[in-house]
Amino acid sequence: MSVSKKVDFALESMKQKSLGSVKVLMIEDDSMIQEMVIIKLVSHGCIPYATKDGSEAVSMAEQYKPHIIILDLMLPGKTGEEVLKELKEHTDLSNTPIIVFTNKSSHEDKETLIKLGADKYFVKAQTDLNDLVTTIKDLVSK
Amino acid sequence: MNKEKPTIESLQAEINELNIIIVGLENTSKMLVRRDLDLKKAHNNLKSLDKEKTDFVAIAAHQLRTPLTTTMWAHKMFLEGDTGNLTSKQKDLAERSFASVKHMHALVEELIQVDKLEYGNTELKIQSGNIQKLIETILAEHTLKIAEANLTINKNYSYAEPISFDPYKLSDALGNLINNAVKYTPDNGKISITIIKKASNVYIEITDNGIGVPIGEESRLFHKFSRIKNAEQVDAGGSGLGLYIAKKIIEKHKGTLTFSHNDGPGSTFTVKIPC
């Protein structure tokens, strides 16, 4: 089944779910991870936008005005840290909650990114996607 | 007693003998130096081989990390109906393969942790903190399992002053010990956690009345990949790295982790940390 068909299928099965109309921008260069997370988010009603390139992140955020941004750190174009700094200095986007989603698992990395303004920090390999969904719910309800 | 005066010839003969001994000793010394160099070379070769082997395991673990993560997510999404409903046969197969993937994923995560402890940045980020709070946070993560198994947790916290430790790393170490206590204590069992100060050390004792450690297997407990027989019967999927990781972290704090048998069933693990 193609990605779009999978997404359509998930869209159909999620109509009653709780995150309807929440726009999520995912900046992630690993296709498989991007696809998995999007299927999960769509099944909970989110409207997903995605890019694999760090240098497109800010312009996409300006264009689609997401409620939440999920940001990987090791990206082509611009690093996740650079994207985070730009978003936090942006007049219209500085208040958009950012979830860092990375496999950099040191506590030092986490502390640095939280200090830079990330709202949450997830280590992909240690993440249950249901926790990611719960965190999005919490952040949008604030 | 008359003693004959040595003649020039006899002295010369003794000098010759001594010269022969000196040459022999010099040859032996050279040989020992060569042997020492050979041994050093062999030692360095072995060290290099060991590092290559460890690097290979670490690289393999890092490469496997993402595909195993996404495979695990996919299984979970199948089982939770995110991609539609499964037939009972599909569900059964997905549940079994999910369990296998989960086990492989946990093993890979522990291998990465071991690699970091052995070869990564080993500097501790020491902060002043409260051990009691750290233990309460760990116990909170096990609330569900503790309730499901109806375990009683006795807490004897007689020392509550702040001490210096790396909260993240010590949390991993104590987390492994508490996780073991919860995992290997049967339903309706009891776990006691004691914090006391003696001299200039804080002692954290974690005692359970679980399956214990068979006599004769104690020395293997803290070895890498070592699993004791009765633990395998309870949890066949364990990696045998949890206690090794805990001991390494505690030793980095200049502390010790020791095991003792209880008078009755079960085990006691004692962490000693200087304060």
Side-chain angles (χ1 to χ4, degrees), chain A residues 111, chain B residues 124-130 162-168 253:
Chain A
E111 278 177 15
Chain B
L124 295 177
K125 291 204 90 179
I126 298 290
Q127 298 174 21
S128 179
N130 187 304
I163 66 163
S164 297
F165 58 89
D166 182 325
Y168 297 114
H253 284 82

Side-chain angles (χ1 to χ4, degrees), chain B residues 161-275:
Chain B
E161 298 300 313
I163 66 163
S164 297
F165 58 89
D166 182 325
Y168 297 114
K169 291 200 169 72
L170 197 61
S171 171
D172 287 343
L174 295 176
N176 286 353
L177 298 177
I178 290 172
N179 186 46
N180 279 355
V182 171
K183 188 159 56 175
Y184 297 119
T185 301
D187 289 1
N188 308 311
K190 195 171 79 180
I191 295 170
S192 301
I193 301 175
T194 304
I195 306 172
I196 49 166
K197 187 181 178 234
K198 283 184 209 164
S200 55
N201 295 299
V202 168
Y203 291 81
I204 305 146
E205 279 179 10
I206 299 162
T207 302
D208 64 63
N209 64 351
I211 61 170
V213 175
I215 303 285
E217 296 208 43
E218 304 88 341
S219 61
R220 296 199 303 115
L221 269 178
F222 300 107
H223 290 182
K224 223 191 292 191
F225 298 115
S226 174
R227 299 213 68 210
I228 57 170
K229 281 177 196 160
N230 54 355
E232 277 194 336
Q233 282 159 9
V234 175
D235 173 26
S239 64
L241 289 170
L243 285 176
Y244 174 79
I245 289 169
K247 192 173 168 68
K248 279 262 170 195
I249 291 171
I250 290 158
E251 284 172 353
K252 280 184 192 299
H253 284 82
K254 301 193 187 328
T256 57
L257 171 61
T258 51
F259 161 81
S260 56
H261 294 286
N262 296 343
D263 288 337
S267 313
T268 296
F269 286 87
T270 305
V271 177
K272 182 178 92 174
I273 293 181
C275 62

Side-chain angles (χ1 to χ4, degrees), chain A residues 9 30 33 36 40 43 103 105 107-108 111 124-128 130, chain B residues 65-66 69-70 73-74 76-77 80 82-84 105 109 116 125 168:
Chain A
F9 183 85
D30 185 300
I33 288 178
M36 291 279 171
K40 185 73 188 177
S43 78
N103 256 339
S105 55
H107 300 299
E108 291 80 7
E111 278 177 15
K124 290 171 195 168
Q126 294 159 12
T127 299
D128 180 331
N130 291 320
Chain B
R65 198 181 198 196
T66 297
T69 302
T70 49
W73 288 346
K76 203 140 190 263
M77 286 198 278
E80 288 173 355
D82 290 323
T83 55
H105 183 264
E109 286 299 298
K116 278 186 191 158
K125 291 204 90 179
Y168 297 114

Side-chain angles (χ1 to χ4, degrees), chain B residues 7-72:
Chain B
T7 62
I8 289 173
E9 289 76 16
S10 68
L11 284 172
Q12 189 60 53
E14 278 183 29
I15 288 168
N16 289 344
E17 270 178 40
L18 284 172
N19 279 337
I20 291 167
I21 291 168
I22 287 167
V23 170
L25 284 172
E26 278 175 352
N27 286 339
T28 309
S29 168
K30 279 179 194 163
M31 191 186 72
L32 285 172
V33 168
R34 276 200 305 274
R35 286 267 168 89
D36 186 45
L37 282 173
D38 287 346
L39 280 173
K40 277 181 183 158
K41 207 173 157 187
H43 176 70
N44 286 337
N45 282 344
L46 283 173
K47 262 174 80 175
S48 157
L49 277 173
D50 185 54
K51 178 78 175 65
E52 274 177 34
K53 182 202 74 186
T54 310
D55 285 351
F56 172 78
V57 172
I59 290 166
H62 279 278
Q63 292 295 321
L64 286 169
R65 198 181 198 196
T66 297
L68 280 173
T69 302
T70 49
T71 309
M72 204 168 70

Side-chain angles (χ1 to χ4, degrees), chain A residues 121-138:
Chain A
Y121 190 100
F122 280 91
V123 177
K124 290 171 195 168
Q126 294 159 12
T127 299
D128 180 331
L129 292 183
N130 291 320
D131 293 337
L132 185 67
V133 170
T134 306
T135 299
I136 292 172
K137 281 181 191 169
D138 290 345

Side-chain angles (χ1 to χ4, degrees), chain A residues 14-31:
Chain A
M14 64 78 200
K15 278 175 185 157
Q16 302 302 317
K17 294 193 178 174
S18 55
L19 277 175
S21 79
V22 171
K23 293 188 281 182
V24 179
L25 171 61
M26 181 163 200
I27 307 149
E28 166 66 64
D29 66 330
D30 185 300
S31 307

